[in-house]
Amino acid sequence: AQSVTQPDIHITVSEGASLELRCNYSYGATPYLFWYVQSPGQGLQLLLKYFSGDTLVQGIKGFEAEFKRSQSSFNLRKPSVHWSDAAEYFCAVRRFTSGTYKYIFGTGTRLKVLA
Amino acid sequence: NAGVTQTPKFRVLKTGQSMTLLCAQDMNHEYMYWYRQDPGMGLRLIHYSVGEGTTAKGEVPDGYNVSRLKKQNFLLGLESAAPSQTSVYFCASSQFLTNEKLFFGSGTQLSVL
């Protein structure tokens, strides 16, 4: 069965430090991968997506992610974290099944940023 | 630009009561989805629709019903609320042909006592 795993439930980093959030997927075909961010009390907002081509994708707010097929991973990175990055981050995979697109989300990683 | 609007934002129900959550999108999107978000479980798909007049079950449909009588609206109903349905509910929409991403509403916090 297709699935998305985010092994870290909580991560705490200091402002200005680098960040890497892990995501592993299980999917038979070439995956369509996404990272979404959820600020407190808000809906989810797309950070970036990978469909094909260059395996390093750039997103909004200075985030990037790298697709590694050999490791079935799509980790999210940011060189220098800002206090406003504190939020919950979700990795997701999209699949086409039963005539429609469905999105499978990971369980999320909550990021705390220390001043 | 309104995008995806959910009403209400908060609701408290007693066990056995019924209610309807409304999702409205103004982007002319074909696909609409209802998710529930619970701590440690991420987002789980309840029901979805691929167009006006169509609905289908998702991952956790039991206890919920949906309707999509108009393209812009997707209603989620709870006929007899249970404490296990205490959750945050999100509606999302996407375009059929491009379908590059989901547009989310801001959520409905539902508590069932």
Side-chain angles (χ1 to χ4, degrees):
Chain A
Q2 295 87 350
S3 68
V4 177
T5 302
Q6 294 180 247
D8 303 305
I9 300 174
H10 298 278
I11 283 186
T12 300
V13 299
S14 297
E15 191 171 18
S18 63
L19 171 70
E20 183 170 28
L21 303 181
R22 296 183 290 167
C23 173
N24 293 97
Y25 66 90
S26 169
Y27 189 62
T30 300
Y32 283 17
L33 295 160
F34 304 80
W35 275 100
Y36 284 84
V37 60
Q38 184 183 29
S39 299
Q42 301 296 316
L44 280 69
Q45 178 186 19
L46 180 69
L47 277 177
L48 48 78
K49 61 185 183 288
Y50 172 78
F51 288 170
S52 64
D54 192 346
T55 57
L56 184 64
V57 293
Q58 302 297 321
I60 62 171
K61 304 184 181 184
F63 285 91
E64 66 178 25
E66 186 171 14
F67 170 63
K68 293 185 178 180
R69 185 186 298 277
S70 62
Q71 299 178 17
S72 297
S73 69
F74 188 56
N75 294 349
L76 182 70
R77 301 194 294 248
K78 187 170 185 179
S80 177
V81 170
H82 187 263
W83 63 267
S84 61
D85 293 325
E88 190 157 20
Y89 293 80
F90 292 92
C91 182
V93 62
R94 190 190 80 179
R95 59 175 176 151
F96 189 80
T97 180
S98 300
T100 188
Y101 292 104
K102 293 181 181 176
Y103 295 78
I104 301 169
F105 287 85
T107 53
T109 298
R110 187 170 297 277
L111 174 66
K112 182 177 180 179
V113 180
L114 301 177
Chain B
N1 293 333
V4 179
T5 303
Q6 290 183 236
T7 54
K9 294 189 181 302
F10 303 94
R11 187 70 185 269
V12 179
L13 291 178
K14 294 181 179 179
T15 297
Q17 287 185 320
S18 63
M19 78 162 294
T20 300
L21 282 66
L22 171 63
C23 176
Q25 53 94 3
D26 61 1
M27 297 171 283
N28 202 35
H29 285 172
E30 294 290 340
Y31 285 32
M32 297 187 75
Y33 307 81
W34 275 107
Y35 290 90
R36 60 177 290 173
Q37 183 183 27
D38 302 292
M41 304 191 75
L43 277 77
R44 293 181 292 169
L45 182 64
I46 306 171
H47 284 282
Y48 63 96
S49 169
V50 300
E52 181 179 318
T54 73
T55 63
K57 295 180 179 180
E59 182 185 359
V60 288
D62 294 342
Y64 305 95
N65 57 76
V66 288
S67 65
R68 189 143 178 227
L69 300 179
K70 294 182 179 181
K71 186 177 184 178
Q72 63 268 33
N73 295 337
F74 194 30
L75 279 62
L76 178 71
L78 287 72
E79 290 187 346
S80 179
S84 61
Q85 294 177 304
T86 293
S87 186
V88 181
Y89 292 86
F90 286 99
C91 176
S93 71
S94 67
Q95 184 56 290
F96 175 69
L97 291 178
T98 60
N99 204 268
E100 289 192 346
K101 68 175 185 178
L102 294 172
F103 293 79
F104 281 87
S106 58
T108 296
Q109 174 75 58
L110 175 64
S111 295
V112 183
L113 306 178

